[in-house]
Amino acid sequence: KAGVTQTPRYLIKTRGQQVTLSCSPISGHRSVSWYQQTPGQGLQFLFEYFSETQRNKGNFPGRFSGRQFSNSRSEMNVSTLELGDSALYLCASSFTPNTEAFFGQGTRLTVV
Amino acid sequence: GQQLNQSPQSMFIQEGEDVSMNCTSSSIFNTWLWYKQDPGEGPVLLIALYKAGELTSNGRLTAQFGITRKDSFLNISASIPSDVGIYFCAGLETSGSRLTFGEGTQLTVNP
């Protein structure tokens, strides 16, 4: 059974640009959550989707957005990139909300 | 955002030694999870705990869900070099899939 797949693995973007990250959950999982990991802030919750609906959102500015498709795949978008957005972005999938989460390898975003 | 208090922050041990780390929270969680993360990779789920007082093992790893539902600990017995990494505890909220993470314990094992 394939794990959580995140693409791309690495990205370098310039300040002011936007970026879209993709996550394919484990087959059969319908809940997808996104996290930002930085050395200073640790792992911070971004948002959670289940059945194409955003159920929960973390304390991040509106530049961070996401969506989930009918096949449970999810994307997150960051607009008007800032240097501080440089981080490892992790996607986690769960069979349903409130069950254990399995993480992908992450997308390393560097903003220059 | 809210974080769990995880300790110790780092540990340097000799191969073969046992290790213990723990997490405490001011909030109650219904599920506690323990993850291990290697550099540049995503966290890998080690153990999931669902009931207060539950003690669960996974090979050389043992974790317990505290009775108060506000704490959990992880023990690693007879450590080996491949145990090196960062260990995170995480509490799962009752209403969804939002995980609150501890700050992590960096484990170094000297052969």
Side-chain angles (χ1 to χ4, degrees), chain A residues 33-54:
Chain A
S33 301
W34 288 88
Y35 294 82
Q36 181 196 65
Q37 186 176 29
T38 59
Q41 297 297 314
L43 281 147
Q44 300 289 324
F45 172 80
L46 280 158
F47 23 66
E48 172 203 349
Y49 288 88
F50 177 67
S51 294
E52 301 178 66
T53 301
Q54 186 181 88

Side-chain angles (χ1 to χ4, degrees), chain A residues 10-101:
Chain A
Y10 304 93
L11 265 180
I12 299 176
K13 289 286 188 178
T14 305
R15 272 185 301 175
Q17 287 186 314
Q18 74 162 15
V19 67
T20 298
L21 312 182
S22 179
C23 172
S24 293
I26 293 170
S27 177
H29 284 196
R30 293 190 294 152
S31 177
V32 173
S33 301
W34 288 88
Y35 294 82
Q36 181 196 65
Q37 186 176 29
T38 59
Q41 297 297 314
L43 281 147
Q44 300 289 324
F45 172 80
L46 280 158
F47 23 66
E48 172 203 349
Y49 288 88
F50 177 67
S51 294
E52 301 178 66
T53 301
Q54 186 181 88
R55 286 171 45 93
N56 216 336
K57 191 176 192 310
N59 189 25
F60 279 82
R63 301 184 296 106
F64 291 80
S65 63
R67 58 178 175 168
Q68 186 180 33
F69 302 95
S70 58
N71 62 358
S72 295
R73 191 177 70 84
S74 177
E75 288 181 347
M76 68 163 281
N77 185 277
V78 188
S79 62
T80 319
L81 284 165
E82 301 176 359
L83 294 178
D85 297 333
S86 295
L88 181 66
Y89 289 88
L90 292 160
C91 167
S93 86
S94 306
F95 181 65
T96 57
N98 212 34
T99 56
E100 63 265 29

Side-chain angles (χ1 to χ4, degrees), chain B residues 51-106:
Chain B
K51 292 182 185 177
E54 179 181 357
L55 185 71
T56 297
S57 293
N58 178 8
R60 294 177 297 105
L61 277 59
T62 302
Q64 184 157 28
F65 191 146
I67 291 290
T68 65
R69 293 162 61 194
K70 293 184 178 181
D71 62 307
S72 177
F73 73 75
L74 174 71
N75 285 343
I76 305 173
S77 64
S79 58
I80 59 178
S82 61
D83 290 334
V84 166
I86 303 178
Y87 292 80
F88 290 97
C89 61
L92 182 60
E93 295 183 358
T94 58
S95 58
S97 293
R98 178 176 187 151
L99 287 170
T100 300
F101 282 88
E103 301 95 333
T105 296
Q106 171 75 62

Side-chain angles (χ1 to χ4, degrees), chain B residues 36-53:
Chain B
K36 177 176 182 270
Q37 187 176 27
D38 292 326
E41 301 292 329
V44 174
L45 181 64
L46 299 173
I47 291 181
L49 301 158
Y50 300 102
K51 292 182 185 177

